[in-house]
Amino acid sequence: MDLNALMYEGDPLADAVIADLVAGDRTGEVNRVLAEFRGNDTPIPENLPESVRTFLHETDNPPEWMDAGRVARAHEFFLDDGVHVASVLSFGAMVNCYAQPRPSKVLALTHRLNQPHRRLSETSQFVLDMMAPGAFGGGGGFVPTIQKTRLIHAAVRYFVTRSPEWDSATDGVPVCQQDLLGALLIFSVQVVDGMRRIGISVTEVEAEDYYHVWRVAGAVLGIRADVMPESYAEAEELSATMVRASYAPSAEGIELTRNLIALYEKFIPGKAFDGVVAAMVRQVVDEEVADWLEVPRSKGWTRAVRTGERVMRVLERGEDRNRVARAVLDKAGTLLLGASVRTLTNGQSTTLSVPACLRH
């Protein structure tokens, strides 16, 4: 597999749809219709352009190799350990994404350097929909979320590629197959790694099931099936050789990280807790990455965060013995992600919309 070639490959199916919408100046019209298209069972609206209807029809099924049993087990894993998944996603995975200079540059060109709340709420909504019961089947709502996300990626490719600030010969295609694969590994393999880093037990079966759901989502999202590792072990290896090898400091990554930390700190009252967010970030990402992105250090809060993690481990060990502890932890992850979505969007569920211009 030539991983470098993936830098120059987008998503032809979604890219053709966006080219058609821009040519016909119908992006706004499509967004109004798609805002009501939320469930897997929702009929494809009749009043959409034919290119959009065809796209939605051709991308509405998960791959044949999806294992429904593994997807169901991943849902149970999320119920049991969702608080830890949510914490590592929020404080680790987001920052690891910013450690990649090319995706960070794309965020800068789409005016999202100063909109961390939007990216965080969209990511949280994506994970909530993915880990809901029957995410890919009847009664679920994850497939439309993926389809809209796929069109958003295509729109970003369309407009960034045409920006004079983007050098396609050097930087490749924005939101390319390599970027999508890297994000998949960050949100799956590196989240499990982050959980284990802070002492949370994740079994091999749980890790395989969690990665399997992300791999299914990746296929629907337009990532080439032949480049996604089949097993968790293979995904770990690719994460180390491709994703972690791409980490480097950048001005955009530093600013994105600074704004993300500031966003979290706004939700913590008073000055007494200044430094706790940065300490949590440093606990779940590599020290070198944290230094590159200029995450502040705080010895006091680092000790406090580690103490808090030990308390969480005690609670986790008590799950099987204590129904109250189990009930608390079963709901904590969903509540944390749900709160981040609704708090960041003024109480409303996140609406995914296809941008009609570069600055969106």
Side-chain angles (χ1 to χ4, degrees):
M1 183 198 316
D2 184 0
L3 295 176
N4 288 329
L6 297 179
M7 284 179 53
Y8 300 93
E9 185 176 343
D11 178 359
L13 193 62
D15 292 340
V17 175
I18 295 302
D20 178 63
L21 292 180
V22 174
D25 195 22
R26 302 190 68 179
T27 305
E29 172 192 343
V30 169
N31 280 330
R32 286 189 290 274
V33 176
L34 290 182
E36 305 303 320
F37 183 58
R38 294 180 178 273
N40 297 347
D41 298 328
T42 303
I44 297 174
E46 295 288 342
N47 55 335
L48 284 172
E50 187 58 33
S51 62
V52 179
R53 285 180 51 79
T54 299
F55 170 81
L56 295 176
H57 176 73
E58 292 182 357
T59 61
D60 69 349
N61 289 315
E64 294 181 356
W65 45 261
M66 184 188 83
D67 186 325
R70 296 177 73 178
V71 172
R73 288 200 305 268
H75 169 67
E76 292 301 317
F77 166 69
F78 186 73
L79 286 179
D80 288 341
D81 286 302
V83 63
H84 308 306
V85 173
S87 295
V88 177
L89 275 169
S90 300
F91 297 109
M94 295 290 289
V95 172
N96 282 336
C97 286
Y98 300 154
Q100 297 180 297
R102 187 174 64 239
S104 294
K105 183 177 179 180
V106 171
L107 287 171
L109 291 175
T110 56
H111 206 52
R112 295 194 175 190
L113 278 176
N114 58 354
Q115 297 183 32
H117 61 286
R118 181 168 188 166
R119 179 169 169 78
L120 180 59
S121 65
E122 289 173 348
T123 301
S124 299
Q125 187 73 62
F126 191 93
V127 175
L128 277 175
D129 290 347
M130 181 174 69
M131 289 299 170
F136 296 96
F142 187 41
V143 173
T145 296
I146 303 178
Q147 291 172 312
K148 295 175 191 178
T149 302
R150 189 168 174 177
L151 291 175
I152 291 171
H153 290 164
V156 170
R157 274 192 297 273
Y158 182 93
F159 291 114
V160 171
T161 300
R162 288 158 177 77
S163 167
E165 299 175 69
W166 185 265
D167 184 350
S168 295
T170 301
D171 297 324
V173 174
V175 200
C176 60
Q177 286 285 320
Q178 189 181 94
D179 293 339
L180 293 171
L181 180 58
L184 172 75
L185 296 173
I186 287 173
F187 287 116
S188 58
V189 170
Q190 292 190 21
V191 164
V192 171
D193 177 66
M195 292 173 68
R196 289 170 170 168
R197 183 194 295 264
I198 60 176
I200 304 303
S201 173
V202 182
T203 68
E204 293 304 314
V205 172
E206 289 171 335
E208 289 284 359
D209 292 341
Y210 182 68
Y211 171 68
H212 181 74
V213 176
W214 276 100
R215 183 171 166 239
V216 173
V220 182
L221 195 59
I223 303 176
R224 282 172 36 188
D226 64 314
V227 303
M228 288 188 292
E230 292 188 18
S231 71
Y232 183 83
E234 293 170 326
E236 273 190 307
E237 182 178 352
L238 188 58
S239 174
T241 58
M242 184 189 80
V243 184
R244 292 186 186 278
S246 73
Y247 290 168
S250 70
E252 294 87 354
I254 291 170
E255 186 175 354
L256 284 163
T257 303
R258 183 185 302 122
N259 289 341
L260 181 69
I261 292 174
L263 174 68
Y264 285 136
E265 289 180 339
K266 282 171 45 177
F267 298 114
I268 301 176
K271 295 291 185 181
F273 292 94
D274 286 356
V276 66
V277 173
M280 293 179 74
V281 170
R282 281 191 167 273
Q283 195 66 13
V284 293
V285 304
D286 291 342
E287 184 175 6
E288 185 177 39
V289 169
D291 288 342
W292 281 343
L293 298 178
E294 299 183 2
V295 177
R297 292 179 179 273
S298 172
K299 290 184 179 179
W301 277 117
T302 297
R303 289 193 295 270
V305 167
R306 289 174 179 168
T307 300
E309 287 164 0
R310 287 194 289 271
V311 172
M312 289 304 301
R313 290 174 209 166
V314 171
L315 279 174
E316 186 187 47
R317 287 195 296 271
E319 269 192 283
D320 294 330
R321 301 190 300 270
N322 186 313
R323 287 187 301 169
V324 174
R326 182 178 180 84
V328 170
L329 289 177
D330 279 358
K331 296 297 182 182
T334 300
L335 289 175
L336 179 58
L337 281 171
S340 71
V341 170
R342 294 190 175 275
T343 300
L344 296 169
T345 56
N346 297 318
Q348 303 298 316
S349 294
T350 299
T351 299
L352 298 172
S353 57
V354 180
C357 61
L358 184 60
R359 299 290 180 176
H360 176 69

